[in-house]
Amino acid sequence: MKKNQTIPEKIWQFFCSVKLAVYTLVLLAATSIFGTIILQNGTKQEYLRLYGEVFYNLITVCKLDDMYHAWWFLLSIVILCINIVVCSIERLSITWKIIFPKQIKFNPQRFRKLKNLETFTVNKDVKSLSGPYETFLSKTVGKVIKEETDSGRVLYAEKGRWTRIGVYVIHSSILLLFIGALIGALFGFKANLRLDEGETSDTAFIVKKRMPINIGFSIKCNNFFIKHYDTGAPEEFRSNLTIIENGKESFTKDILVNHPLRYKGINIFQASYGTAQPDSIILDIIRLSDKDVTNTTIKVGQEIQLPEDQGLFKLEGFMPHFDFRGNNLGEAFIGKITQKDGNSFQIGLPVKFPTFDKMRKGTFAFVVKEFEQKYYTGLQVTKDPGVWYVYSGFILMIIGCWITFFMSHQSYFIEIRNNKNNFSKISISGTTNRNSQGMKLKIQKIVIQLKGK
């Protein structure tokens, strides 16, 4: 390192360091392990239950609960991107001179000393062999450079100089991957949206933060369909959704698990489902003294007069899971009875246990006879504006790896020298910037081909 460097030069040398790239990669790899092991985007209660209060505080301070959006993780990616760019620029000038030289030169003496040098003799003179060998080398390799020597002639040809750019293609692909990740982390979102059948909304809620976000158009759940196995387990569930924009319906589509709806850069996934609150129910009001039954239809939120002016009953709502003394009784409706003396109390009406309210031993028992089963669909709404950078990065990486590992810069050397009694001695060798063993096999193959000419 030079002494008395300016501050810009020191900054340049810092980002030009290969050690910086290694340390940053190790940091990203190590922290990614934490991101895999530690629950991401969980609730406070989940973290306290899994890790305890001490580790929960440490996790929140270090942002390990949403690690891939943490400022220090994104900063590490930015540093690595700068490091890749600076290293590439630093070394590109040398590579550029190799790829695009002002004049192609070669040293015959260097090729004569190569380990893959092959020699043989031919019963022809230099002049008669020079033309066919030059044509062969031109067709199989590329442009041929000829030089006369004291004892004969040398032919030189090369191909694949441009393949040295392969490593820079890989560098570019990594940059695109990181840039895509940064754009997705900074400008994308992952949100949840719950829609009852028939409901329309243009607002989803960011995962964990529960912050509302307007997605730019409305989604309407027309219907929800579920298919069960014979065991009762869900086999398939899907939502029939309509996209509404500027008050007009754009299109309608069914979405299933792993078959999302995509619209204007936003992905809508089928994530979950559940039982939604019905609009109304058919209720039997049984007078326990003589078993007299009054059948009525009541809407959620509606209040009705009980028979014989015994008070009021209001259907307050619906619960998908009704807990009674620590036991989950499943779906249930919640009602409130207001007696004539003004006293009121709540009752639960489990759908699977129609005689449940009789245990209360009041004047009347209430039984849910019938209701229209309605569902809600749980949608995951995501936006990742960096995804096309990521896709482009993967494509570019495949191209770069192919160039780097399966292509090479190859140079071929053929020397034709006069020998005794009108014989010519042929020497063939070659160089490559990778896979020297493969080059040796190619030289041997060329020897076989030239012997037949």
Side-chain angles (χ1 to χ4, degrees):
M1 183 179 292
K2 297 179 181 179
K3 295 182 179 180
N4 302 322
Q5 286 184 322
T6 63
I7 292 177
E9 287 176 334
K10 289 180 180 179
I11 294 174
W12 181 269
Q13 288 299 321
F14 172 77
F15 283 108
C16 190
S17 170
V18 176
K19 288 183 179 180
L20 176 64
V22 173
Y23 293 150
T24 309
L25 284 171
V26 170
L27 174 64
L28 290 172
T31 52
S32 294
I33 294 173
F34 286 114
T36 304
I37 296 174
I38 297 174
L39 175 69
Q40 299 291 294
N41 299 309
T43 63
K44 180 179 179 180
Q45 291 73 22
E46 288 176 319
Y47 286 109
L48 290 174
R49 177 174 55 83
L50 290 171
Y51 309 109
E53 187 171 355
V54 175
F55 283 103
Y56 167 68
N57 292 331
L58 180 63
I59 287 170
T60 52
V61 168
C62 298
K63 303 295 183 182
L64 295 178
D65 55 338
D66 191 14
M67 198 195 74
Y68 301 109
H69 292 87
W71 66 268
W72 55 266
F73 188 83
L74 299 179
L75 180 61
S76 300
I77 293 178
V78 172
I79 290 174
L80 185 58
C81 288
I82 297 173
N83 178 244
I84 291 172
V85 171
V86 172
C87 286
S88 298
I89 294 173
E90 183 76 8
R91 292 159 179 78
L92 183 60
S93 59
I94 299 173
T95 306
W96 195 261
K97 291 177 182 178
I98 295 174
I99 297 173
F100 303 104
K102 294 180 179 179
Q103 183 179 359
I104 297 177
K105 297 180 180 179
F106 70 98
N107 182 3
Q109 193 61 30
R110 176 194 174 203
F111 285 92
R112 293 177 185 132
K113 295 179 180 180
L114 293 176
K115 292 182 179 180
N116 61 19
L117 181 69
E118 296 280 342
T119 60
F120 62 94
T121 57
V122 179
N123 188 14
K124 291 183 181 179
D125 58 22
V126 173
K127 187 176 180 180
S128 60
L129 290 174
S130 181
Y133 283 11
E134 182 181 346
T135 302
F136 169 82
L137 203 57
S138 176
K139 289 182 178 179
T140 56
V141 181
K143 183 180 178 181
V144 178
I145 299 174
K146 298 177 289 184
E147 283 189 9
E148 301 294 333
T149 64
D150 295 338
S151 58
R153 180 175 294 177
V154 293
L155 306 175
Y156 173 83
E158 62 176 30
K159 64 178 180 180
R161 275 183 177 267
W162 66 271
T163 60
R164 293 178 180 270
I165 206 77
V167 65
Y168 298 98
V169 177
I170 294 177
H171 286 181
S172 301
S173 71
I174 295 173
L175 282 175
L176 283 174
L177 291 174
F178 284 148
I179 290 171
L182 287 170
I183 291 174
L186 295 174
F187 304 107
F189 63 81
K190 181 185 290 185
N192 294 327
L193 174 60
R194 169 182 162 163
L195 290 175
D196 292 349
E197 290 181 282
E199 187 180 5
T200 302
S201 178
D202 62 357
T203 303
F205 292 87
I206 301 295
V207 174
K208 185 183 177 182
K209 297 180 181 179
R210 297 301 299 165
M211 290 176 54
I213 182 169
N214 189 293
I215 60 177
F217 54 86
S218 297
I219 306 172
K220 180 181 179 181
C221 178
N222 302 308
N223 290 292
F224 181 84
F225 305 93
I226 183 169
K227 183 180 179 182
H228 294 88
Y229 290 106
D230 294 337
T231 59
E235 178 183 358
E236 177 188 278
F237 50 94
R238 56 190 171 94
S239 302
N240 182 261
L241 305 179
T242 295
I243 300 299
I244 302 172
E245 191 170 17
N246 299 323
K248 297 180 181 179
E249 294 186 1
S250 296
F251 62 93
T252 298
K253 182 180 178 181
D254 285 353
I255 68 167
L256 299 85
V257 176
N258 299 324
H259 292 80
L261 185 156
R262 307 184 193 277
Y263 185 68
K264 290 192 172 181
I266 292 179
N267 306 306
I268 303 167
F269 295 89
Q270 179 68 70
S272 63
Y273 72 94
T275 305
Q277 177 174 286
D279 296 326
S280 62
I281 64 172
I282 298 175
L283 190 68
D284 278 354
I285 305 175
I286 305 172
R287 187 167 55 204
L288 295 180
S289 60
D290 58 4
K291 309 300 181 184
D292 182 63
V293 178
T294 300
N295 183 269
T296 184
T297 299
I298 180 172
K299 295 181 178 180
V300 175
Q302 182 182 357
E303 190 174 58
I304 60 173
Q305 185 77 41
L306 291 175
E308 301 176 6
D309 199 22
Q310 292 296 311
L312 301 172
F313 174 81
K314 182 178 181 180
L315 185 62
E316 292 192 320
F318 172 81
M319 295 181 65
H321 305 287
F322 178 64
D323 183 78
F324 180 72
R325 296 179 181 176
N327 298 305
N328 182 11
L329 302 185
E331 298 173 345
F333 290 88
I334 305 300
K336 184 175 79 170
I337 297 175
T338 303
Q339 297 175 328
K340 289 192 296 183
D341 58 7
N343 292 327
S344 62
F345 53 89
Q346 280 188 331
I347 62 172
L349 306 176
V351 175
K352 293 182 180 179
F353 303 95
T355 61
F356 179 83
D357 191 51
K358 292 182 180 180
M359 296 189 299
R360 185 172 50 83
K361 296 181 180 180
T363 304
F364 297 96
F366 300 85
V367 177
V368 178
K369 295 297 293 182
E370 186 180 340
F371 66 95
E372 182 183 358
Q373 182 72 71
K374 295 184 69 175
Y375 292 93
Y376 72 81
T377 179
L379 305 175
Q380 186 178 84
V381 183
T382 65
K383 181 180 180 180
D384 188 356
V387 68
W388 290 109
Y389 291 90
V390 174
Y391 289 160
S392 301
F394 277 121
I395 294 171
L396 206 60
M397 180 169 286
I398 293 171
I399 295 172
C401 288
W402 180 266
I403 294 171
T404 302
F405 297 108
F406 296 97
M407 305 180 76
S408 61
H409 176 199
Q410 302 171 17
S411 302
Y412 294 87
F413 172 83
I414 299 177
E415 183 173 16
I416 311 169
R417 288 186 293 177
N418 290 317
N419 209 348
K420 296 178 181 181
N421 302 323
N422 204 34
F423 276 78
S424 296
K425 184 178 180 181
I426 313 300
S427 299
I428 303 173
S429 65
T431 61
T432 179
N433 61 330
R434 62 178 61 89
N435 191 12
S436 57
Q437 185 61 32
M439 172 57 74
K440 184 176 181 179
L441 296 175
K442 289 180 180 178
I443 296 298
Q444 293 173 354
K445 184 178 178 181
I446 291 175
V447 169
I448 295 171
Q449 290 175 311
L450 292 184
K451 281 182 177 181
K453 290 186 176 293

